[in-house]
Amino acid sequence: MMKLKHKGGSPSKGWLTLKWLTFLLIILSNLASAQSISLAGDWQFQMDRNDVGIQEQWFNKKLADNIKLPGSMLTNGKGDDVTLQTKWTGSIYDSSWFFNPRMEKYRQPGNLKFPFWLTPAKYFVGAAWYQKEVTIPANWAKENVELFLERCHTETMVWVDGREAGMQNSLVAPHVYDLTTILSPGKHVITIRVDNRIKAINVGPDSHSLTDHTEGNWNGIIGKILLEAAPIVHIENIQVYPDVANKQAIVVVTLKGQQEDNAKVTLGATAFNTKVAHQVPAIASSVTLNKDTLTTQQFTLPMTDKVQLWDEFNPVLYKLQLTLQTPGGEKQTKEVVFGMRSFKIVGTGFTINDRPVFLRGTVNNCEFPLTGFPPMDEASWIKLFNTAKAHGLNHMRFHSWCPPEAAFKAADLTGFYLQPEGPGWVNHGTSLGDGKPIDKYMYEETDRMAGWYGNYASFCMEAVGGNEPAGRNQVKFLTEMIHYWEAKDKRRVYTGASVGNSWPLVPENEYMVKAGARGLNWVNARPESDSDYHASIQKFNVPYVVHEMGQWCAFPDFNEINRFTGVYKERNFELFRELLAEHGMADQANDFLMASGKLQVLCYKNELEKAMRTKGLAGFQMLGLQDFPGQGTALVGMLNALWQDKPYITPQQVKRFCNAVVPLTRMPKFVYTNNEKLTAQVELFNYGASELKNAVINWVIKDSTGKVLAKGTFDKKEYALGNCLPVGTIDYPLSAIKTPMRLNLDISIAGTEYGNDWNVWVFPHTIPEVAGNSNVYFCDTLNEKAVSLLQNGGSVFLMAAGKIQKGKEVVNYFTPVFWNTSWFKMRPPHTLGIVCDPNHPAFKDFPATGYSDLQWWDVVNKAQVMHLEDFPKGFKPVLQPIDTWFINRKLALLLEAKVGKGKLLVCSIDFHDLENRPATAQLSYSLLKYVHSKSFNPTSTVELSTIQALFNEPSRETWNGYTKDSPDELKPKVN
């Protein structure tokens, strides 16, 4: 071929002209054959506050405003300012904010800050109208034309040139309108009315598909907005049913459109998301078209012996390509992604491809504060699932909502098991099974979920009735719904609804998602790692997945506030931060965050390990890995609501105790005396990709300086898949440890990433007497002698346990707040662990940590706190419980102060029964030595009357809920 070049090698003008002509022809060819037209971009818009648009025929007029789609009114800055009169979508069980005089300044215009959820920039509930002019190409004249709206919120009505095209209402699936008969070539005006009110169909105002607690009740259209053309006879739907046992896929194809004669269908599949290539040989068949609009035919596609199976460890996918040759000569090709996998129930567990699987899950509640709605792109969901996997998880439940298709695509690619739900928390003013419109709607919505997302391998489970419904007849309704789905689609397993303890059981559930097998009994018994949840699940003969495990809270991270750069702001955090400052503790915010976070992680670690030690348990669903921004603000996550790390924990640290393979111990306690020996029964939780062959498991005990005290290796052997697999016993005498000390027991599997560790605390069995000092007066009340000594320069150690009045209403446990104190009407505990300076001389002879580790349990659990509301703003206690962030009271268990000319140490910790409380006995010894030492020299001055008020005056600042309602979990049990 002749090359047209100048001498210098640059292209000639003729070559350039030829290049651009060719490029132009390609562009024109693509436009002529385009089968979709994107409607993304500028639309006309108008709010219909008074709901008069239909009556006034707004579909026949040009709308006055403009907006960008995809998006919502909120992302476009449309709607009304938030006020005290805003009618929210969601329950508010703690209405104290509206009435509490201390909240008055946060109820003012310009300073509106409420605690119960995030604050949107604008708010609108009602009808809004969207309008766009479109041009239909001439080559669409004989095509089937549809309007595709990927996700709408919620009800849509469509008009073309003033002609009504229908109405749709789905929270889970695209709204698709067949416009073939009314969209001819040329210009047209499409008008869409979107209404986000709860009307006859009531999924419940707290349902995460629409509530202001999470995504918000937005109005708009997101995702793909398209006009799509297809041949008159075209592929309407493809459903792929993997038959792993027979190495084949059953493909059910539905064709739409009326033509006589036979159509030809060719289908094949190609593996991807794998390093092993596999091209499935194509098959071809003819289809006799029905006289009806829809024709359905089933095909069997042999996957051959080279078939690769999908799971969390090897998420191999196939791309099914189906080509339709119509009798009219037109050709259409459609691709569908599926995975060859079998997710089944065997006994009380699940299997993936006949291999046991244990669900390590979290609950997603549609928390996407930057936009107020879920991401519609795969990349965002891949990042989310990879973050979850980095924390050792393999499963996600979608509480009362169904994510968009991008989530299923991403879960398929990353290897993640999903449980979407029918989009209802059918409670609080509505009910399920009582003949209301919601009954039919839940069937329709789950049908749509199966139709749109049923092919995705990750769609393994489903709660068809959503979350915790009300209704006298709910059991009958859910039973019938389960039977409907068992008969219709066996690609996944079904439960009626995800429920707490108060809900009636549905015996026909294929598996249970239920509370009960969760929590730690540390309020009434010392921490240990010997117990499990077997007693709670043994009566069930189906898989039991723990409902909403965890819910351990940490203090707010005020550094997050500036990260909320989207449509929702953390005005709740701003309020909490200001309350903290009002109480003189602004400088302690980070200390509170870090200390409470360490306790939160400790609780999650022990609770998840307890679940993994439970024989017969099928899995757990944490609530949650991420914070929940609503329901009073529930800061339960080891990630924040933006799915970002918190500063007190890393994913790698979480993965030590939450993973596919985890070494576990059974120990009767974590606090010992040195006349005992540390005994640990070691076992293995193994739900990895395969059995562990010739596994070597090592253990080591180190002291707090990192010095190795003992180590060993268990015999090399094979470990099957499952849990409670015995490894061996560790016995380590503690007699050589003479001083109070933290030990660390670490167990790891050689040559792998798998390992786990525990802190163990050792105290002397015999504590020496403290030399007396006549200058120190010990008492349990602030009597005349104590007052006289203080006034004259003496030292007083006031042991005030059980005598405190100011703070009597604050309940302090070792474990932190559950969910939050607002939503649960100040149900105890009210605190988030302790914070202290471990280097304070009061702890010289006690192995203090600046946060609640397990050596603090017998010291602080149920200890009475002191409320320091009258103390100087800058005063800091020696040992300080962290109060619920809704009140931010300054609390103390131990404080010191100059009073008069004297020195005072006040402790509200109970010092009884010390023979059974080795940590408290050691702390008592340390405090006695301290109060007798020269180091006892308080720097802060406090008035005597302030100290006296602790004993004879109640707290002025107390909580009042101003409401009689309460969340379902606190209402009387149904059975």
Side-chain angles (χ1 to χ4, degrees):
M1 183 178 70
M2 183 183 292
K3 295 182 179 180
L4 301 175
K5 286 189 176 183
H6 293 302
K7 289 182 180 178
S10 60
S12 70
K13 184 176 180 181
W15 187 89
L16 284 170
T17 304
L18 179 62
K19 174 185 174 183
W20 285 108
L21 281 172
T22 304
F23 180 71
L24 184 61
L25 286 171
I26 292 171
I27 294 294
L28 291 172
S29 174
N30 286 340
L31 288 173
S33 61
Q35 294 299 295
S36 68
I37 299 173
S38 173
L39 302 183
D42 295 325
W43 286 63
Q44 300 301 116
F45 171 78
Q46 195 163 333
M47 288 183 282
D48 190 359
R49 284 190 177 88
N50 299 316
D51 199 11
V52 296
I54 296 176
Q55 180 185 340
E56 295 179 359
Q57 299 188 7
W58 288 11
F59 43 80
N60 280 325
K61 75 167 191 175
K62 185 174 181 179
L63 302 179
D65 199 356
N66 56 73
I67 199 168
K68 285 192 179 295
L69 294 179
S72 69
M73 288 177 59
L74 185 53
T75 58
N76 281 274
K78 308 291 185 182
D80 301 318
D81 290 337
V82 172
T83 71
L84 277 176
Q85 286 70 45
T86 296
K87 294 182 179 178
W88 298 104
T89 304
S91 305
I92 301 175
Y93 288 119
D94 176 6
S95 58
S96 59
W97 178 82
F98 292 94
F99 307 103
N100 191 330
R102 295 191 67 251
M103 295 291 109
E104 177 67 28
K105 63 181 177 181
Y106 303 114
R107 300 194 290 263
Q108 301 306 311
N111 193 44
L112 205 62
K113 295 172 184 174
F114 42 80
F116 31 83
W117 48 60
L118 301 174
T119 304
K122 298 283 184 180
Y123 195 78
F124 181 83
V125 175
W129 294 67
Y130 304 79
Q131 190 177 76
K132 192 176 186 68
E133 184 180 89
V134 300
T135 300
I136 305 302
N139 65 322
W140 283 21
K142 294 182 179 180
E143 300 284 88
N144 185 88
V145 182
E146 292 180 338
L147 173 65
F148 179 89
L149 310 173
E150 187 172 4
R151 181 143 296 197
C152 308
H153 212 270
T154 306
E155 176 190 275
T156 60
M157 296 182 71
V158 172
W159 290 263
V160 176
D161 301 330
R163 182 176 172 184
E164 187 175 339
M167 185 272 282
Q168 293 191 28
N169 186 350
S170 176
L171 286 158
V172 304
H175 294 200
V176 181
Y177 289 86
D178 188 339
L179 305 181
T180 304
T181 60
I182 55 177
L183 262 189
S184 57
K187 289 188 176 181
H188 298 275
V189 175
I190 295 176
T191 305
I192 305 173
R193 177 183 181 270
V194 180
D195 192 344
N196 62 331
R197 289 174 293 181
I198 294 177
K199 302 197 303 194
I201 297 171
N202 186 355
V203 299
D206 293 326
S207 172
H208 296 152
S209 55
L210 53 71
T211 185
D212 290 318
H213 286 291
T214 53
E215 68 172 310
N217 190 8
W218 54 277
N219 186 304
I221 305 168
I222 59 174
K224 298 183 184 73
I225 306 174
L226 305 170
L227 285 171
E228 296 184 302
I232 291 300
V233 175
H234 59 277
I235 303 163
E236 176 72 6
N237 192 271
I238 304 170
Q239 294 294 315
V240 184
Y241 298 85
D243 181 359
V244 171
N246 295 304
K247 299 179 180 178
Q248 63 187 16
I250 309 302
V251 183
V252 178
V253 181
T254 301
L255 306 179
K256 184 178 181 182
Q258 293 176 315
Q259 274 186 4
E260 296 183 0
D261 211 346
N262 291 337
K264 182 183 177 182
V265 171
T266 304
L267 66 158
T270 306
F272 71 102
N273 208 38
T274 173
K275 295 179 181 178
V276 182
H278 181 207
Q279 180 73 47
V280 178
I283 62 171
S285 181
S286 63
V287 178
T288 301
L289 298 174
N290 293 332
K291 293 180 180 179
D292 299 328
T293 304
L294 296 179
T295 300
T296 300
Q297 187 153 323
Q298 179 175 302
F299 304 89
T300 299
L301 180 65
M303 298 298 291
T304 78
D305 289 337
K306 295 181 180 179
V307 64
Q308 299 176 60
L309 304 185
W310 179 95
D311 67 12
E312 65 187 278
F313 303 104
N314 194 26
V316 181
L317 296 169
Y318 284 88
K319 190 174 290 182
L320 177 82
Q321 188 175 71
L322 190 147
T323 301
L324 170 68
Q325 183 82 42
T326 70
E330 294 181 290
K331 183 180 285 188
Q332 183 193 16
T333 298
K334 200 164 189 176
E335 289 184 338
V336 167
V337 171
F338 72 99
M340 287 296 292
R341 65 100 175 117
S342 170
F343 193 87
K344 293 180 180 178
I345 290 170
V346 176
T348 61
F350 300 110
T351 62
I352 182 79
N353 307 324
D354 298 323
R355 192 183 72 246
V357 62
F358 187 97
L359 298 176
R360 306 179 307 280
T362 187
V363 180
N364 185 278
N365 309 284
C366 204
E367 307 102 328
F368 300 103
L370 297 183
T371 58
F373 49 71
M376 303 300 287
D377 63 296
E378 286 179 49
S380 295
W381 284 100
I382 287 172
K383 181 180 179 182
L384 187 148
F385 291 132
N386 280 337
T387 299
K389 291 192 83 166
H391 289 80
L393 302 183
N394 64 359
H395 168 56
M396 187 172 289
R397 170 199 166 202
F398 296 91
H399 181 313
S400 60
W401 80 289
C402 177
E405 188 170 28
F408 293 94
K409 289 180 177 179
D412 272 18
L413 289 167
T414 54
F416 222 70
Y417 310 120
L418 304 185
Q419 179 190 295
E421 299 187 342
W425 190 343
V426 189
N427 213 318
H428 314 151
T430 183
S431 62
L432 201 59
D434 295 328
K436 297 175 182 176
I438 185 64
D439 291 355
K440 182 171 178 286
Y441 185 70
M442 292 297 273
Y443 272 96
E444 293 170 343
E445 289 284 75
T446 50
D447 274 334
R448 286 186 274 260
M449 289 163 63
W452 283 99
Y453 317 126
N455 292 323
Y456 290 104
S458 53
F459 190 177
C460 298
M461 309 163 70
E462 184 175 7
V464 291
N467 181 74
E468 298 175 347
R472 295 184 304 276
N473 302 305
Q474 60 169 290
V475 173
K476 180 177 182 295
F477 178 86
L478 293 172
T479 298
E480 292 171 354
M481 202 171 184
I482 290 167
H483 288 324
Y484 170 83
W485 279 108
E486 284 175 327
K488 184 171 183 176
D489 194 340
K490 297 186 184 301
R491 287 177 291 185
R492 63 199 63 88
V493 295
Y494 302 96
T495 193
S498 300
V499 297
N501 272 339
S502 301
W503 274 260
L505 289 176
V506 179
E508 299 300 312
N509 283 341
E510 289 191 301
Y511 68 99
M512 298 284 182
V513 178
K514 183 174 174 56
R518 71 183 196 194
L520 297 170
N521 191 33
W522 291 357
V523 176
N524 300 308
R526 69 186 179 191
E528 39 72 31
S529 66
D530 200 28
S531 61
D532 53 44
Y533 298 113
H534 182 71
S536 298
I537 69 169
Q538 61 181 342
K539 67 178 181 180
F540 297 97
N541 58 6
V542 298
Y544 191 119
V545 181
V546 183
H547 174 71
E548 299 180 355
M549 174 170 271
Q551 307 186 49
W552 307 108
C553 285
F555 198 76
D557 181 358
F558 299 133
N559 294 311
E560 290 176 20
I561 294 173
N562 293 332
R563 301 178 201 167
F564 279 68
T565 56
V567 297
Y568 279 89
K569 303 300 182 186
E570 280 192 321
R571 304 293 184 219
N572 49 350
F573 275 38
E574 292 177 17
L575 186 157
F576 304 143
R577 182 174 61 182
E578 290 181 31
L579 288 178
L580 190 69
E582 285 179 19
H583 290 87
M585 296 181 288
D587 61 331
Q588 292 185 273
N590 191 66
D591 292 340
F592 289 176
L593 166 67
M594 297 300 290
S596 63
K598 293 291 187 183
L599 175 59
Q600 178 195 60
V601 172
L602 181 70
C603 291
Y604 272 114
K605 171 178 164 62
N606 279 270
E607 189 175 18
L608 298 189
E609 288 179 356
K610 189 171 181 178
M612 290 187 282
R613 289 195 303 268
T614 302
K615 195 71 175 174
L617 189 66
F620 58 78
Q621 296 167 347
M622 284 193 295
L623 187 58
L625 182 60
Q626 75 288 354
D627 282 342
F628 185 100
Q631 292 186 7
T633 307
L635 306 179
V636 297
M638 291 180 280
L639 299 176
N640 65 26
L642 300 173
W643 277 74
Q644 298 169 336
D645 289 348
K646 290 186 177 181
Y648 52 79
I649 187 69
T650 66
Q652 294 79 11
Q653 289 169 322
V654 175
K655 213 171 180 181
R656 295 271 289 173
F657 58 82
C658 180
N659 210 334
V661 181
V662 182
L664 299 169
T665 60
R666 290 186 183 265
M667 291 187 284
K669 56 186 178 179
F670 294 100
V671 176
Y672 294 82
T673 52
N674 61 0
N675 65 335
E676 298 177 294
K677 65 179 179 179
L678 188 164
T679 300
Q681 300 291 333
V682 181
E683 59 187 46
L684 193 64
F685 172 93
N686 178 26
Y687 286 90
S690 63
E691 301 86 358
L692 289 175
K693 297 183 182 299
N694 299 318
V696 175
I697 298 180
N698 300 313
W699 63 270
V700 60
I701 297 173
K702 298 179 181 180
D703 67 15
S704 55
T705 68
K707 178 184 176 182
V708 174
L709 302 181
K711 62 181 179 178
T713 298
F714 295 104
D715 292 340
K716 182 188 297 185
K717 65 179 181 179
E718 180 174 323
Y719 294 94
L721 291 170
N723 65 340
C724 304
L725 306 174
V727 175
T729 302
I730 297 170
D731 283 315
Y732 176 64
L734 301 170
S735 55
I737 298 173
K738 303 302 182 183
T739 58
M741 182 178 300
R742 183 197 73 220
L743 306 183
N744 181 264
L745 168 62
D746 188 291
I747 301 174
S748 59
I749 304 175
T752 75
E753 65 173 347
Y754 304 121
N756 199 3
D757 67 289
W758 300 262
N759 285 341
V760 174
W761 302 86
V762 184
F763 294 96
H765 174 252
T766 303
I767 299 175
E769 293 287 332
V770 177
N773 184 336
S774 59
N775 291 330
V776 179
Y777 177 59
F778 296 88
C779 55
D780 59 8
T781 57
L782 199 60
N783 53 32
E784 289 183 6
K785 183 176 179 180
V787 170
S788 176
L789 279 169
L790 291 172
Q791 290 173 338
N792 291 289
S795 295
V796 174
F797 186 175
L798 179 53
M799 293 170 282
K803 304 294 180 69
I804 298 296
Q805 291 298 312
K806 194 178 287 290
K808 192 176 181 179
E809 70 285 353
V810 182
V811 178
N812 176 69
Y813 298 156
F814 178 83
T815 48
V817 167
F818 173 89
W819 196 239
N820 65 68
T821 52
S822 174
W823 182 262
F824 282 103
K825 302 189 70 174
M826 213 52 64
R827 182 175 73 172
H830 306 142
T831 56
L832 297 153
I834 56 95
V835 66
C836 70
D837 175 4
N839 296 314
H840 191 286
F843 304 125
K844 183 180 179 181
D845 292 279
F846 181 81
T849 48
Y851 55 90
S852 299
D853 207 336
L854 291 174
Q855 89 281 24
W856 284 112
W857 177 81
D858 71 42
V859 175
V860 305
N861 188 50
K862 296 185 180 180
Q864 187 180 38
V865 303
M866 298 175 276
H867 181 190
L868 310 185
E869 63 181 341
D870 299 322
F871 279 59
K873 268 200 171 183
F875 183 87
K876 286 186 179 178
V878 178
L879 185 60
Q880 181 175 5
I882 304 165
D883 193 26
T884 170
W885 57 89
F886 294 97
I887 306 179
N888 282 317
R889 293 161 291 199
K890 184 178 290 186
L891 306 176
L893 289 169
L894 178 68
L895 63 88
E896 61 180 3
K898 289 181 180 177
V899 179
K901 297 178 182 180
K903 297 181 291 184
L904 175 67
L905 185 68
V906 186
C907 184
S908 57
I909 296 164
D910 182 4
F911 287 121
H912 293 92
D913 192 27
L914 294 184
E915 62 272 16
N916 295 312
R917 299 166 65 201
T920 308
Q922 187 66 37
L923 178 62
S924 174
Y925 171 77
S926 186
L927 294 179
L928 288 173
K929 285 190 69 175
Y930 171 63
V931 81
H932 283 106
S933 74
K934 293 180 180 180
S935 298
F936 179 42
N937 188 27
T939 57
S940 297
T941 299
V942 176
E943 295 296 323
L944 177 63
S945 59
T946 301
I947 302 295
Q948 290 171 324
L950 291 173
F951 296 88
N952 53 36
E953 293 180 13
S955 296
R956 294 186 306 280
E957 183 180 2
T958 57
W959 179 82
N960 182 349
Y962 294 92
T963 181
K964 293 182 179 179
D965 201 6
S966 62
D968 301 310
E969 291 85 347
L970 299 184
K971 290 176 180 175
K973 291 187 178 183
V974 175
N975 70 342

